[in-house]
Amino acid sequence: REMGLNKEIQRSGDIWAQIFSCRLQFDILAPSYQEATDIMNTFMDTVFTYTAFFKKNGVKDIRFACRLTDNNLDTYRQKCSVRSLQYDVEIEKLFTHFYNDIEGINII
């Protein structure tokens, strides 16, 4: 139901959803092994803490997938400690399709 200009308008329709599955990688670079580990742990806690917020804003699901050594970052490893984390994320996009309104006919 939609309210508009002091009268109630009834509309009906369908809600369609499209789900996108993604793998996200987060790379943490820090000057020391301990600092990289601390940042990684803080990051993982933050993702966990804000999972409900993400879900309210279109993220259907977020799951830790793995911690890995990304060979593409070997150049950075010469001077930094590197941590790579991957998460599997599903994003849900909703589409509303209203049926055509027929004036004077209420569909309940």
Side-chain angles (χ1 to χ4, degrees):
R1 292 185 176 189
E2 184 178 308
M3 300 298 288
L5 301 176
N6 298 327
K7 88 177 199 184
E8 190 175 303
I9 301 169
Q10 292 184 356
R11 299 191 300 176
S12 60
D14 296 318
I15 297 177
W16 299 333
Q18 186 172 18
I19 297 174
F20 302 91
S21 295
C22 313
R23 177 153 290 182
L24 300 179
Q25 179 169 316
F26 299 93
D27 299 312
I28 299 165
L29 287 76
S32 71
Y33 176 89
Q34 187 59 51
E35 191 173 353
T37 300
D38 292 344
I39 293 168
M40 177 187 70
N41 290 330
T42 300
F43 176 79
M44 292 175 75
D45 290 345
T46 302
V47 169
F48 180 75
T49 300
Y50 285 96
T51 295
F53 173 80
F54 297 145
K55 288 188 172 194
K56 286 180 186 175
N57 289 284
V59 174
K60 184 174 185 206
D61 197 17
I62 183 166
R63 294 176 309 280
F64 177 80
C66 65
R67 179 178 161 195
L68 69 143
T69 301
D70 187 340
N71 294 330
N72 293 319
L73 301 174
D74 284 346
T75 305
Y76 299 103
R77 252 182 216 89
Q78 294 174 14
K79 295 193 179 202
C80 297
S81 188
V82 179
R83 303 287 182 281
S84 296
L85 304 172
Q86 289 186 349
Y87 284 81
D88 290 327
V89 179
E90 289 183 350
I91 300 169
E92 184 173 38
K93 182 163 173 98
L94 299 177
F95 301 90
T96 305
H97 175 259
F98 290 108
Y99 302 136
N100 291 335
D101 295 333
I102 301 174
E103 194 142 337
I105 298 176
N106 289 330
I107 301 172
I108 296 176

